[in-house]
Amino acid sequence: MNELKKKTGKPAEKKAAKPAVRAEKPLKKVSMAKPGTMLFPLPAVMVSCGKAGEDANIITVAWTGTVNTEPPMVYISVRKSRHSHGLLMRDREFVINLPSQDQVKALDWCGVRSGRMVDKFKEMNLTAAPAEKVGCPIIKECPVHLECKVVSITELPSHDMFLAEVVNVQVNEDMLDSKGALHLEKAKLIAYNHGKYYPVPRVSMMRFGESVMKDSTKKRLDAERKGKRRAARRRG
């Protein structure tokens, strides 16, 4: 230190001590009181069923998903006590309507009111529009519609699972670009997570297969995402 002071005329600066690194405690796992269906988040959808112009109904469903690619197949699980259960058993067809965030109130309301007592289309100001391949209507206000025909029904203790083939898909025209590619983020979809509804982000964290892409491709995609986030912040 004295030599440095002689050379520069200034005392040597003391290096700041590095903060002590605390060892993180291992995260403790606990078992829930009893096992349950903790597979979240899930899609929150509005299923339309029944005959258009007669007894069409809407049921809110989160127990739904994809089970096969070719042919495209999905399932919904419905409690035996629900009004829609009888309509599904009778007609063996339905439409999965993917609601946007603007329809979250209707999404929730249709899940807690019974079609035995009320006309859900009328009460929620929803439009029952004709489907193309099934006899039940689509919900016009929703941006995406999967028209389905039931191929099998599996009876379970609390629910019945309706396995169905997707025979037609309709989407809002503004969700397609000039090349016909679908931009599902424009639908502003909703996820159901342990009793609450959440907006699905419009900007992705990563795309499928990106973890093994070339670095140059990753950088380009990351730059595109940052640009979309800035644009989203400007929109408010």
Side-chain angles (χ1 to χ4, degrees):
M1 181 184 290
N2 292 334
E3 292 180 1
L4 180 62
K5 183 175 180 181
K6 289 178 182 178
K7 291 180 180 178
T8 62
K10 297 180 181 180
E13 294 182 2
K14 293 182 179 180
K15 292 184 179 180
K18 293 183 179 179
V21 179
R22 294 182 180 179
E24 292 187 5
K25 294 182 179 179
L27 192 63
K28 185 179 179 181
K29 303 290 184 180
V30 296
S31 294
M32 303 295 288
K34 69 175 189 176
T37 52
M38 294 295 292
L39 186 61
F40 294 108
L42 295 164
V45 304
M46 301 167 77
V47 174
S48 49
C49 54
K51 295 188 183 301
E54 297 181 19
D55 55 3
N57 190 45
I58 303 168
I59 180 172
T60 298
V61 170
W63 296 172
T64 183
T66 302
V67 295
N68 198 60
T69 303
E70 292 295 339
M73 297 180 73
V74 296
Y75 80 93
I76 60 171
S77 286
V78 179
R79 286 187 181 273
K80 299 170 175 63
S81 60
R82 302 301 188 199
H83 175 58
S84 293
H85 184 277
L87 301 177
L88 291 163
M89 293 292 288
R90 182 193 72 192
D91 300 330
R92 300 178 71 90
E93 58 185 18
F94 57 88
V95 179
I96 296 177
N97 304 273
L98 306 187
S100 70
Q101 293 157 28
D102 296 334
Q103 285 116 36
V104 66
K105 180 181 177 180
L107 171 70
D108 184 64
W109 194 91
C110 289
V112 296
R113 290 290 184 265
S114 173
R116 292 189 183 96
M117 310 299 294
V118 297
D119 181 340
K120 296 184 184 181
F121 281 96
K122 181 180 179 181
E123 294 297 324
M124 287 290 100
N125 296 312
L126 297 171
T127 306
E132 293 183 359
K133 298 292 181 66
V134 296
C136 47
I138 66 170
I139 303 172
K140 187 177 180 180
E141 288 74 15
C142 293
V144 182
H145 319 274
L146 284 70
E147 300 177 29
C148 306
K149 288 185 178 290
V150 175
V151 297
S152 69
I153 303 169
T154 301
E155 187 174 358
L156 301 168
S158 63
H159 291 62
D160 281 348
M161 185 177 70
F162 296 84
L163 186 66
E165 181 178 349
V166 180
V167 294
N168 191 48
V169 176
Q170 295 189 55
V171 300
N172 286 356
E173 188 177 22
D174 63 1
M175 292 169 55
L176 301 175
D177 63 22
S178 59
K179 297 180 180 178
L182 176 64
H183 293 267
L184 199 56
E185 69 275 9
K186 292 184 177 181
K188 299 180 181 179
L189 299 177
I190 301 169
Y192 179 75
N193 190 9
H194 200 43
K196 296 179 181 179
Y197 306 102
Y198 293 88
V200 175
R202 298 186 68 180
V203 181
S204 66
M205 297 169 59
M206 185 180 286
R207 68 170 58 187
F208 176 75
E210 189 172 335
S211 61
V212 295
M213 289 180 180
K214 294 179 180 179
D215 288 341
S216 58
T217 305
K218 292 180 184 178
K219 289 179 181 178
R220 176 177 58 79
L221 293 174
D222 190 47
E224 290 176 2
R225 279 191 290 268
K226 287 180 180 178
K228 289 180 179 179
R229 292 191 186 101
R230 286 193 294 268
R233 285 195 292 269
R234 286 195 294 269
R235 289 194 297 267

